[in-house]
Amino acid sequence: IVYDKTLKGFSTKEVEPQKYVSWTEGKLVFRNDQLDVIARRLERWYNVEVEINGNIREDLSLRATFIGEGLEEVLGLLKHSLPIDFKIEYGVLKQDETYSKTKVIILPRTK
């Protein structure tokens, strides 16, 4: 349920609760999620930074469940399912002896 202060009214939306509690079972679940939502979930799940670059269709969506797959494996499966490519820039050691976050760059697929 969502309350809109401007319209002073409520709206409801039916959701699949499994999508929101699946993390407790070690599952990364997408249910017709668009690429920007997928990117945010990957950031939290793998503790990485995800950047979407280039002209990628906004209507891309994915329905999938991942259990125990690593970041590269998930990105590879996304690449096979959607018209995207990706590049990974791994974290580097900084002067203060900490590592920068790994960065995933999602790009449009080039043939």
Side-chain angles (χ1 to χ4, degrees):
I1 188 165
V2 175
Y3 178 72
D4 186 326
K5 289 193 281 188
T6 307
L7 299 174
K8 297 184 180 178
F10 292 93
S11 63
T12 59
K13 181 179 173 184
E14 205 168 306
V15 297
E16 292 185 51
Q18 183 60 26
K19 172 180 164 179
Y20 300 100
V21 298
S22 60
W23 66 271
T24 62
E25 299 168 347
K27 297 177 185 176
L28 180 58
V29 175
F30 300 109
R31 292 295 178 256
N32 298 320
D33 292 317
Q34 292 187 330
L35 193 55
D36 62 328
V37 173
I38 293 168
R40 284 195 314 270
R41 302 266 317 280
L42 291 174
E43 284 180 330
R44 289 191 302 265
W45 191 264
Y46 292 104
N47 192 28
V48 296
E49 212 177 291
V50 178
E51 183 179 297
I52 300 173
N53 285 345
N55 189 17
I56 298 177
R57 290 185 9 227
E58 292 182 21
D59 64 340
L60 294 178
S61 63
L62 180 74
R63 182 178 180 90
T65 300
F66 299 102
I67 304 171
E69 284 87 0
L71 175 63
E72 289 184 33
E73 190 173 5
V74 169
L75 290 169
L77 292 166
L78 291 177
K79 179 179 174 176
H80 289 293
S81 303
L82 302 171
I84 63 166
D85 205 345
F86 66 90
K87 182 170 88 170
I88 300 175
E89 296 176 352
Y90 292 96
V92 295
L93 185 62
K94 299 188 295 185
Q95 287 183 348
D96 65 359
E97 297 188 10
T98 62
Y99 281 88
S100 61
K101 257 188 183 179
T102 293
K103 184 176 192 176
V104 174
I105 302 168
I106 297 176
L107 307 156
R109 182 183 303 158
T110 56
K111 295 190 178 212

